[in-house]
Amino acid sequence: MNTSQSVQALFKPFAIRNVNLTNRIVMAPMTRQFSPNGVPGSDVADYYRRRAENGVGLIVTEGTIIDHPDSSNQINVPHFYGETALEGWKRVVDAVHEVGGRIIPQIWHMGARGNVNEYSEADIAAIVEAFAQAASEAKRLGFDGIELHGAHGYLIDQFFWEKTNSRTDQYGGDMIKRTRFATEVIAACRRAVGPEFPIVLRFSQWKSSSYTAKLAETPAQLERFLEPLVDAGVDVFHCSTRRFWEPEFEGSDLNLAGWTKKLTGKPTITVGSVGLNGDFMSLFTEGKGAENAKIDGLIERLEREEFDLVAVGRALLVDPAWANKIRDGRLEELIPFTSEAVKSLY
């Protein structure tokens, strides 16, 4: 990886409500399934602490599941409910804070096992309450905010997308009605945590089942989609794309985070193969890793204030010191993302 441009823009402070970040680098949420029976252990605390003490401004944890029967079918994905799991997360928070880091949990429901049409309104109310309870626990444990996972075809996104939501009641129909479930979750979480606790929403156009999917085909449609989410209480949008450099709509170089900030005025996080030359699915679909890549274009966009924060996934997964190495110009020390490197992690 070579970069000829100053990285100063990445290391300017930023505030989300009353939470002050030392820089613009965010650790993206990455599922690892390293929490036996849903309980994060000391190894999980050490994992996040290493990234915090090596210069990451904000850590977003791997997806943590809410207290609902459908929320996950994977026993080693961490829970965000139950005394033992929450005690484990308290140790994580303390470990990160001890080294001056900031951390928020990603709160997650992995999706309906059938179709969202099968949920009754009582089912939906119970899920909304489970999200709110998780948000309340996050604040109690000392987290610095929460992120709601509304991307990639998981539950909130299943309500967003017309191909997975064919309901004809208040939760389905046109684009605005399909946001109702999300707005109820966001509003319930806001009531649970109060006005100053940061709420981040991660959303995507693409789905795990369709990389070309679009919730919004035009900027005008995207604005209509985002408006009720802002009104419900989102502070920051985490705009998930596979490649941050790709334009979201024809006729503009803005990516999804750029358009979202332009349309809402809210801070945004960009993400998608930052620091690497391949999209994140290639290791799993083709066995390919990725080499380190220049970040000049990323920094130019950040300096133009196209977005406010930059989420780094695989580069930080494989190299806990990525942020400090970038800051200090130790580019020759960066570790490439390969299957061999991944096997040696943790």
Side-chain angles (χ1 to χ4, degrees), residues 210-229:
S210 176
Y211 293 147
T212 60
K214 293 277 190 181
L215 295 174
E217 296 283 353
T218 66
Q221 288 181 3
L222 182 62
E223 186 172 25
R224 289 182 62 233
F225 168 76
L226 293 169
E227 185 175 2
L229 305 174

PDB file of all heavy atoms in Angstrom, residues 210-229:
ATOM      1  N   SER A 210     -28.640 -10.660  -3.052  1.00  0.00           N
ATOM      2  CA  SER A 210     -28.690  -9.870  -4.286  1.00  0.00           C
ATOM      3  C   SER A 210     -27.806  -8.640  -4.156  1.00  0.00           C
ATOM      4  O   SER A 210     -28.204  -7.658  -3.532  1.00  0.00           O
ATOM      5  CB  SER A 210     -30.128  -9.452  -4.607  1.00  0.00           C
ATOM      6  OG  SER A 210     -30.164  -8.624  -5.740  1.00  0.00           O
ATOM      7  N   TYR A 211     -26.634  -8.696  -4.781  1.00  0.00           N
ATOM      8  CA  TYR A 211     -25.716  -7.557  -4.705  1.00  0.00           C
ATOM      9  C   TYR A 211     -26.229  -6.345  -5.483  1.00  0.00           C
ATOM     10  O   TYR A 211     -25.783  -5.228  -5.242  1.00  0.00           O
ATOM     11  CB  TYR A 211     -24.339  -7.945  -5.246  1.00  0.00           C
ATOM     12  CG  TYR A 211     -23.615  -8.961  -4.403  1.00  0.00           C
ATOM     13  CD1 TYR A 211     -22.767  -9.893  -4.993  1.00  0.00           C
ATOM     14  CD2 TYR A 211     -23.754  -8.979  -3.017  1.00  0.00           C
ATOM     15  CE1 TYR A 211     -22.098 -10.832  -4.223  1.00  0.00           C
ATOM     16  CE2 TYR A 211     -23.087  -9.912  -2.247  1.00  0.00           C
ATOM     17  CZ  TYR A 211     -22.253 -10.838  -2.853  1.00  0.00           C
ATOM     18  OH  TYR A 211     -21.583 -11.760  -2.097  1.00  0.00           O
ATOM     19  N   THR A 212     -27.146  -6.552  -6.414  1.00  0.00           N
ATOM     20  CA  THR A 212     -27.640  -5.453  -7.243  1.00  0.00           C
ATOM     21  C   THR A 212     -28.963  -4.875  -6.735  1.00  0.00           C
ATOM     22  O   THR A 212     -29.542  -4.013  -7.377  1.00  0.00           O
ATOM     23  CB  THR A 212     -27.830  -5.928  -8.694  1.00  0.00           C
ATOM     24  OG1 THR A 212     -28.775  -7.007  -8.718  1.00  0.00           O
ATOM     25  CG2 THR A 212     -26.507  -6.398  -9.284  1.00  0.00           C
ATOM     26  N   ALA A 213     -29.429  -5.330  -5.604  1.00  0.00           N
ATOM     27  CA  ALA A 213     -30.713  -4.851  -5.065  1.00  0.00           C
ATOM     28  C   ALA A 213     -30.647  -3.357  -4.750  1.00  0.00           C
ATOM     29  O   ALA A 213     -29.596  -2.811  -4.410  1.00  0.00           O
ATOM     30  CB  ALA A 213     -31.066  -5.623  -3.802  1.00  0.00           C
ATOM     31  N   LYS A 214     -31.795  -2.710  -4.857  1.00  0.00           N
ATOM     32  CA  LYS A 214     -31.906  -1.295  -4.537  1.00  0.00           C
ATOM     33  C   LYS A 214     -33.179  -1.050  -3.741  1.00  0.00           C
ATOM     34  O   LYS A 214     -34.274  -1.416  -4.170  1.00  0.00           O
ATOM     35  CB  LYS A 214     -31.972  -0.450  -5.818  1.00  0.00           C
ATOM     36  CG  LYS A 214     -30.709  -0.442  -6.659  1.00  0.00           C
ATOM     37  CD  LYS A 214     -29.711   0.558  -6.136  1.00  0.00           C
ATOM     38  CE  LYS A 214     -28.554   0.728  -7.117  1.00  0.00           C
ATOM     39  NZ  LYS A 214     -27.543   1.688  -6.595  1.00  0.00           N
ATOM     40  N   LEU A 215     -33.036  -0.449  -2.581  1.00  0.00           N
ATOM     41  CA  LEU A 215     -34.205   0.062  -1.884  1.00  0.00           C
ATOM     42  C   LEU A 215     -34.692   1.337  -2.561  1.00  0.00           C
ATOM     43  O   LEU A 215     -35.877   1.614  -2.617  1.00  0.00           O
ATOM     44  CB  LEU A 215     -33.870   0.370  -0.422  1.00  0.00           C
ATOM     45  CG  LEU A 215     -33.482  -0.805   0.470  1.00  0.00           C
ATOM     46  CD1 LEU A 215     -33.038  -0.301   1.835  1.00  0.00           C
ATOM     47  CD2 LEU A 215     -34.625  -1.790   0.607  1.00  0.00           C
ATOM     48  N   ALA A 216     -33.737   2.127  -3.050  1.00  0.00           N
ATOM     49  CA  ALA A 216     -34.032   3.398  -3.706  1.00  0.00           C
ATOM     50  C   ALA A 216     -33.266   3.464  -5.018  1.00  0.00           C
ATOM     51  O   ALA A 216     -32.051   3.285  -5.040  1.00  0.00           O
ATOM     52  CB  ALA A 216     -33.636   4.556  -2.804  1.00  0.00           C
ATOM     53  N   GLU A 217     -33.969   3.756  -6.094  1.00  0.00           N
ATOM     54  CA  GLU A 217     -33.353   3.816  -7.420  1.00  0.00           C
ATOM     55  C   GLU A 217     -32.828   5.211  -7.753  1.00  0.00           C
ATOM     56  O   GLU A 217     -32.009   5.366  -8.651  1.00  0.00           O
ATOM     57  CB  GLU A 217     -34.365   3.399  -8.493  1.00  0.00           C
ATOM     58  CG  GLU A 217     -34.839   1.958  -8.392  1.00  0.00           C
ATOM     59  CD  GLU A 217     -33.823   0.955  -8.917  1.00  0.00           C
ATOM     60  OE1 GLU A 217     -32.799   1.387  -9.491  1.00  0.00           O
ATOM     61  OE2 GLU A 217     -34.062  -0.255  -8.751  1.00  0.00           O
ATOM     62  N   THR A 218     -33.293   6.211  -7.022  1.00  0.00           N
ATOM     63  CA  THR A 218     -32.923   7.593  -7.303  1.00  0.00           C
ATOM     64  C   THR A 218     -32.676   8.334  -5.993  1.00  0.00           C
ATOM     65  O   THR A 218     -33.127   7.907  -4.927  1.00  0.00           O
ATOM     66  CB  THR A 218     -34.052   8.322  -8.050  1.00  0.00           C
ATOM     67  OG1 THR A 218     -35.194   8.427  -7.169  1.00  0.00           O
ATOM     68  CG2 THR A 218     -34.440   7.592  -9.327  1.00  0.00           C
ATOM     69  N   PRO A 219     -31.994   9.484  -6.052  1.00  0.00           N
ATOM     70  CA  PRO A 219     -31.831  10.279  -4.839  1.00  0.00           C
ATOM     71  C   PRO A 219     -33.162  10.685  -4.216  1.00  0.00           C
ATOM     72  O   PRO A 219     -33.291  10.718  -2.985  1.00  0.00           O
ATOM     73  CB  PRO A 219     -31.040  11.497  -5.330  1.00  0.00           C
ATOM     74  CG  PRO A 219     -30.265  10.997  -6.496  1.00  0.00           C
ATOM     75  CD  PRO A 219     -31.173  10.010  -7.170  1.00  0.00           C
ATOM     76  N   ALA A 220     -34.144  10.987  -5.033  1.00  0.00           N
ATOM     77  CA  ALA A 220     -35.451  11.378  -4.494  1.00  0.00           C
ATOM     78  C   ALA A 220     -36.082  10.240  -3.701  1.00  0.00           C
ATOM     79  O   ALA A 220     -36.674  10.457  -2.625  1.00  0.00           O
ATOM     80  CB  ALA A 220     -36.374  11.818  -5.628  1.00  0.00           C
ATOM     81  N   GLN A 221     -35.971   9.018  -4.211  1.00  0.00           N
ATOM     82  CA  GLN A 221     -36.506   7.869  -3.482  1.00  0.00           C
ATOM     83  C   GLN A 221     -35.726   7.643  -2.192  1.00  0.00           C
ATOM     84  O   GLN A 221     -36.312   7.314  -1.157  1.00  0.00           O
ATOM     85  CB  GLN A 221     -36.450   6.625  -4.362  1.00  0.00           C
ATOM     86  CG  GLN A 221     -37.445   6.611  -5.492  1.00  0.00           C
ATOM     87  CD  GLN A 221     -37.364   5.347  -6.316  1.00  0.00           C
ATOM     88  OE1 GLN A 221     -36.592   4.430  -6.016  1.00  0.00           O
ATOM     89  NE2 GLN A 221     -38.165   5.278  -7.371  1.00  0.00           N
ATOM     90  N   LEU A 222     -34.407   7.819  -2.250  1.00  0.00           N
ATOM     91  CA  LEU A 222     -33.590   7.638  -1.046  1.00  0.00           C
ATOM     92  C   LEU A 222     -33.991   8.661   0.022  1.00  0.00           C
ATOM     93  O   LEU A 222     -34.079   8.322   1.211  1.00  0.00           O
ATOM     94  CB  LEU A 222     -32.107   7.776  -1.382  1.00  0.00           C
ATOM     95  CG  LEU A 222     -31.136   7.549  -0.215  1.00  0.00           C
ATOM     96  CD1 LEU A 222     -31.256   6.135   0.335  1.00  0.00           C
ATOM     97  CD2 LEU A 222     -29.695   7.830  -0.645  1.00  0.00           C
ATOM     98  N   GLU A 223     -34.266   9.878  -0.389  1.00  0.00           N
ATOM     99  CA  GLU A 223     -34.679  10.905   0.556  1.00  0.00           C
ATOM    100  C   GLU A 223     -35.997  10.522   1.234  1.00  0.00           C
ATOM    101  O   GLU A 223     -36.148  10.674   2.454  1.00  0.00           O
ATOM    102  CB  GLU A 223     -34.821  12.243  -0.154  1.00  0.00           C
ATOM    103  CG  GLU A 223     -35.123  13.403   0.787  1.00  0.00           C
ATOM    104  CD  GLU A 223     -35.062  14.738   0.085  1.00  0.00           C
ATOM    105  OE1 GLU A 223     -35.265  14.791  -1.151  1.00  0.00           O
ATOM    106  OE2 GLU A 223     -34.805  15.747   0.772  1.00  0.00           O
ATOM    107  N   ARG A 224     -36.930   9.996   0.462  1.00  0.00           N
ATOM    108  CA  ARG A 224     -38.207   9.561   1.016  1.00  0.00           C
ATOM    109  C   ARG A 224     -38.012   8.420   2.010  1.00  0.00           C
ATOM    110  O   ARG A 224     -38.670   8.361   3.058  1.00  0.00           O
ATOM    111  CB  ARG A 224     -39.149   9.115  -0.103  1.00  0.00           C
ATOM    112  CG  ARG A 224     -39.674  10.229  -0.966  1.00  0.00           C
ATOM    113  CD  ARG A 224     -40.634   9.707  -2.015  1.00  0.00           C
ATOM    114  NE  ARG A 224     -41.804   9.093  -1.409  1.00  0.00           N
ATOM    115  CZ  ARG A 224     -42.240   7.868  -1.682  1.00  0.00           C
ATOM    116  NH1 ARG A 224     -41.591   7.098  -2.545  1.00  0.00           N
ATOM    117  NH2 ARG A 224     -43.329   7.390  -1.106  1.00  0.00           N
ATOM    118  N   PHE A 225     -37.094   7.517   1.694  1.00  0.00           N
ATOM    119  CA  PHE A 225     -36.811   6.381   2.563  1.00  0.00           C
ATOM    120  C   PHE A 225     -36.180   6.826   3.879  1.00  0.00           C
ATOM    121  O   PHE A 225     -36.524   6.326   4.963  1.00  0.00           O
ATOM    122  CB  PHE A 225     -35.879   5.415   1.824  1.00  0.00           C
ATOM    123  CG  PHE A 225     -35.280   4.345   2.678  1.00  0.00           C
ATOM    124  CD1 PHE A 225     -36.026   3.254   3.085  1.00  0.00           C
ATOM    125  CD2 PHE A 225     -33.949   4.419   3.077  1.00  0.00           C
ATOM    126  CE1 PHE A 225     -35.475   2.263   3.875  1.00  0.00           C
ATOM    127  CE2 PHE A 225     -33.384   3.433   3.861  1.00  0.00           C
ATOM    128  CZ  PHE A 225     -34.154   2.347   4.260  1.00  0.00           C
ATOM    129  N   LEU A 226     -35.276   7.788   3.817  1.00  0.00           N
ATOM    130  CA  LEU A 226     -34.508   8.187   4.997  1.00  0.00           C
ATOM    131  C   LEU A 226     -35.280   9.096   5.946  1.00  0.00           C
ATOM    132  O   LEU A 226     -35.044   9.078   7.165  1.00  0.00           O
ATOM    133  CB  LEU A 226     -33.220   8.896   4.556  1.00  0.00           C
ATOM    134  CG  LEU A 226     -32.190   8.033   3.821  1.00  0.00           C
ATOM    135  CD1 LEU A 226     -31.103   8.921   3.224  1.00  0.00           C
ATOM    136  CD2 LEU A 226     -31.576   6.991   4.747  1.00  0.00           C
ATOM    137  N   GLU A 227     -36.184   9.887   5.413  1.00  0.00           N
ATOM    138  CA  GLU A 227     -36.851  10.902   6.235  1.00  0.00           C
ATOM    139  C   GLU A 227     -37.537  10.340   7.472  1.00  0.00           C
ATOM    140  O   GLU A 227     -37.334  10.862   8.585  1.00  0.00           O
ATOM    141  CB  GLU A 227     -37.847  11.684   5.379  1.00  0.00           C
ATOM    142  CG  GLU A 227     -38.495  12.834   6.123  1.00  0.00           C
ATOM    143  CD  GLU A 227     -39.396  13.679   5.240  1.00  0.00           C
ATOM    144  OE1 GLU A 227     -39.558  13.353   4.045  1.00  0.00           O
ATOM    145  OE2 GLU A 227     -39.953  14.676   5.755  1.00  0.00           O
ATOM    146  N   PRO A 228     -38.330   9.271   7.374  1.00  0.00           N
ATOM    147  CA  PRO A 228     -38.967   8.762   8.597  1.00  0.00           C
ATOM    148  C   PRO A 228     -37.971   8.175   9.591  1.00  0.00           C
ATOM    149  O   PRO A 228     -38.220   8.187  10.805  1.00  0.00           O
ATOM    150  CB  PRO A 228     -39.936   7.691   8.085  1.00  0.00           C
ATOM    151  CG  PRO A 228     -39.511   7.381   6.699  1.00  0.00           C
ATOM    152  CD  PRO A 228     -38.838   8.585   6.167  1.00  0.00           C
ATOM    153  N   LEU A 229     -36.836   7.697   9.103  1.00  0.00           N
ATOM    154  CA  LEU A 229     -35.815   7.148   9.995  1.00  0.00           C
ATOM    155  C   LEU A 229     -35.153   8.262  10.797  1.00  0.00           C
ATOM    156  O   LEU A 229     -34.873   8.110  11.992  1.00  0.00           O
ATOM    157  CB  LEU A 229     -34.777   6.367   9.180  1.00  0.00           C
ATOM    158  CG  LEU A 229     -35.345   5.267   8.279  1.00  0.00           C
ATOM    159  CD1 LEU A 229     -34.245   4.655   7.420  1.00  0.00           C
ATOM    160  CD2 LEU A 229     -36.040   4.182   9.098  1.00  0.00           C
TER     161      LEU A 229
END
